[in-house]
Amino acid sequence: MADLDKNNTAETLDVVNPYDQTYVGSVPTVTWDKIDEYLETAQQLFKDRKQWLPAFKRISILKKAAVLISQRADELALLIASEGGKPLVDARVEVARAIDGVELCAKEISALTGKQIPMDLTEAGAGRIAFTSKEPIGVVVAVSAFNHPLNLIVHQVAPAIAAGCPVLVKPARDTPLSCQVFVDIMHEAGLPPQWCRFITCETSTCERMITDPRVAFFSFIGSAKIGWMLRSKLAPGTRCALEHGGVAPVIIEESADIAAMMPSLLKGGFYHSGQVCVSVQRIFAPRDKAEAIAKMLAAGAEKLVVGNAIDETTECGPLIRPKEVDRVEEWVNEAVAAGATLVTGGKRLGDTTYAPTVLLEPPVDAKVSKMEVFGPVICVYGYDDIDQAIAQANSLDYAFQASVFTKNLDVAMKAIQELDATAVMVNDHTAFRVDWMPFAGRKHSGYNTGGIAYTMHDMSQDKMAVIKL
């Protein structure tokens, strides 16, 4: 890092390609004095209703931003691959989703409406009419993760803009460049800069920003350990949404078409090298089929091309940091030493890559069985009774998305009813998502609900008028 200004302790944050550690770009960090200025400006914007942006202006800005993103789609996809290690084929999908998300925010503004409240249900309320309207909640601070460096920012920042909230956004230190471009695009689209600020800063400074009493809403995507810690320190009155990881379970039932499900399971488990909060991690299969399913997964995993995400042929990129390869290697070795069968993988391919790995019957108390791997590892377990499989799937403190593969409607409904998850996919992998659906974790996996419309609702507040006739 190099000094940015002799009179300022801020520094430059260098960004590297996680595959070969080559330089990609840099962004300036800011100190508390600058963040304090941003917060004060944002609070004054919110307090002065004459400065609020009317809905038609917010719609116009968001629509123009979507066009600008589409015009820079190739550049953004390469940037995502370069700084985040997501293969180009998947990075292009992320950019397309980001465009859709911004357009959806513009559309959802028309749904930020109140309703009439009946008052004459009792004599006490008679002679009055009442209705509600929506107002922005106030200053939003968004802190994001590395694994979807553009689309996560869209899901946190664009709803704030749509709801009429000033927003300060701090991306992951590994992947700030996509966020910086997105904020620049919003400004180019006509959003006054003071309404959306891009920030990179030191951890202690970030915590000070998050816990500042001027913050009305805190949006966080990251680890459960950090998210719950920050929530415990929020100023009184600050609302929040936390999105953490899961240890996603898949139940395969006797009637399922095993060959047909393989591409879905491989994509769900090894997409972005497993660095997805709802990545397929635990597969429960009938005991007499578990080994065969593990071998079929292994055969598919062995064909995946691991390499630099900016190469067109790459299907699995690097892990975000070399120390994450160390951690995944340690967890897999622990499971194998405790009795798991290594069906394929189980080795590092370099300082920054790990082979797509399939484990059969790791112990239930192994880290790979009870914690989010966030790496290219799928575990397969045999079960004798589907109730046992559901109980094991539900046994952890984490609950996010789950899935079941079956041709039996009764089994599908049983899984939907009994799996502890916010979404149960039938005949699809656990990582399926479209940007307008609710997306949330239960228990340790999160707090409140993501998804464009749901986030806009969280960043708005109701006001009721009661008029005595």
Side-chain angles (χ1 to χ4, degrees):
M1 290 190 178
D3 286 341
L4 182 68
D5 190 318
K6 295 292 185 181
N7 300 316
N8 194 326
T9 57
E11 298 175 320
T12 297
L13 175 65
D14 290 337
V15 182
V16 300
N17 182 316
Y19 177 75
D20 56 14
Q21 303 295 294
T22 55
Y23 176 81
V24 178
S26 60
V27 295
T29 63
V30 295
T31 57
W32 172 252
D33 287 346
K34 179 58 68 175
I35 293 173
D36 183 45
E37 176 188 319
Y38 288 164
L39 283 170
E40 187 61 28
T41 300
Q43 187 185 45
Q44 293 307 316
L45 280 174
F46 177 69
K47 284 184 173 181
D48 184 359
R49 291 171 178 254
K50 293 178 181 178
Q51 297 193 66
W52 286 12
L53 298 173
F56 74 88
K57 285 189 177 180
R58 286 177 269 141
I59 291 170
S60 175
I61 290 166
L62 289 163
K63 285 183 174 180
K64 185 175 180 182
V67 172
L68 293 172
I69 295 170
S70 66
Q71 292 172 348
R72 300 175 65 175
D74 290 341
E75 171 198 343
L76 281 163
L78 181 59
L79 189 57
I80 291 167
S82 298
E83 68 171 345
K86 178 179 287 187
L88 266 176
V89 62
D90 298 316
R92 292 188 181 109
V93 173
E94 178 171 344
V95 175
R97 285 181 58 190
I99 295 166
D100 290 342
V102 173
E103 291 177 338
L104 186 59
C105 282
K107 180 180 178 181
E108 285 292 335
I109 290 175
S110 65
L112 279 178
T113 60
K115 61 181 180 180
Q116 182 180 348
I117 309 296
M119 297 302 292
D120 60 350
L121 301 179
T122 66
E123 184 178 353
R128 293 167 177 82
I129 59 172
F131 59 89
T132 64
S133 58
K134 292 286 187 181
E135 294 184 345
I137 196 169
V139 178
V140 172
V141 165
V143 174
S144 203
F146 75 86
N147 53 334
H148 308 290
L150 177 62
N151 202 42
L152 292 183
I153 299 298
V154 167
H155 270 261
Q156 294 174 282
V157 175
I161 295 167
C165 298
V167 55
L168 284 67
V169 54
K170 193 205 84 67
R173 289 179 66 86
D174 297 293
T175 56
L177 300 175
S178 298
C179 176
Q180 185 182 45
V181 172
F182 176 74
V183 172
D184 288 345
I185 284 173
M186 293 307 307
H187 296 163
E188 184 181 348
L191 183 71
Q194 62 267 31
W195 282 90
C196 183
R197 299 290 194 180
F198 166 81
I199 289 171
T200 51
C201 58
E202 295 301 322
T203 301
S204 59
T205 306
C206 181
E207 183 175 324
R208 187 174 178 184
M209 172 178 65
I210 292 164
T211 58
D212 191 279
R214 289 168 290 190
V215 177
F217 192 87
F218 171 49
S219 171
F220 176 81
I221 300 175
S223 74
K225 179 181 178 181
I226 300 300
W228 292 115
M229 179 274 291
L230 290 171
R231 179 175 179 258
S232 72
K233 296 183 177 183
L234 293 178
T238 302
R239 272 57 174 170
C240 70
L242 311 176
E243 183 183 307
H244 305 143
V247 192
V250 176
I251 293 180
I252 298 173
E253 191 260 341
E254 287 283 355
S255 66
D257 187 333
I258 295 173
M261 77 177 71
M262 280 298 135
S264 179
L265 291 177
L266 287 165
K267 187 66 177 179
F270 297 123
Y271 164 66
H272 202 1
S273 294
Q275 297 171 113
V276 180
C277 59
V278 284
S279 176
V280 170
Q281 183 171 328
R282 298 179 295 153
I283 296 177
F284 301 95
R287 192 164 305 278
D288 60 349
K289 297 181 179 181
E291 183 176 356
I293 288 171
K295 288 180 177 179
M296 291 177 73
L297 285 166
E302 289 164 2
K303 296 176 183 177
L304 295 172
V305 178
V306 181
N308 195 333
I310 65 174
D311 295 337
E312 289 285 356
T313 58
T314 295
E315 296 169 286
C316 289
L319 298 190
I320 192 63
R321 290 179 292 275
K323 69 178 183 179
E324 292 303 304
V325 181
D326 298 338
R327 179 187 57 79
V328 172
E329 181 181 50
E330 176 187 321
W331 287 18
V332 170
N333 290 345
E334 174 201 69
V336 172
T341 299
L342 178 63
V343 188
T344 194
K347 60 184 178 181
R348 61 193 310 148
L349 302 178
D351 291 338
T352 60
T353 52
Y354 194 83
T357 297
V358 178
L359 297 174
L360 179 63
E361 297 289 4
V364 295
D365 60 350
K367 289 186 179 72
V368 296
S369 295
K370 64 182 184 179
M371 300 171 67
E372 182 182 33
V373 174
F374 225 61
V377 180
I378 295 177
C379 304
V380 180
Y381 311 81
Y383 70 81
D384 299 308
D385 178 82
I386 196 167
D387 289 322
Q388 171 203 350
I390 291 173
Q392 190 171 343
N394 290 344
S395 64
L396 304 181
D397 291 328
Y398 299 90
F400 210 139
Q401 296 194 162
S403 74
V404 59
F405 285 84
T406 181
K407 292 182 178 179
N408 186 316
L409 180 59
D410 288 342
V411 171
M413 292 306 300
K414 177 182 178 67
I416 291 169
Q417 291 172 352
E418 297 183 13
L419 281 171
D420 190 3
T422 52
V424 177
M425 312 303 165
V426 178
N427 296 324
D428 208 343
H429 61 71
T430 57
F432 172 80
R433 183 186 185 185
V434 291
D435 297 291
W436 54 88
M437 66 186 253
F439 190 72
R442 290 182 177 179
K443 300 193 285 189
H444 291 193
S445 288
Y447 180 76
N448 268 330
T449 303
I452 295 295
Y454 301 88
T455 300
M456 288 173 62
H457 174 80
D458 282 348
M459 293 177 177
S460 304
Q461 53 191 350
D462 289 322
K463 174 173 283 185
M464 188 169 72
V466 182
I467 303 171
K468 186 175 182 180
L469 301 176

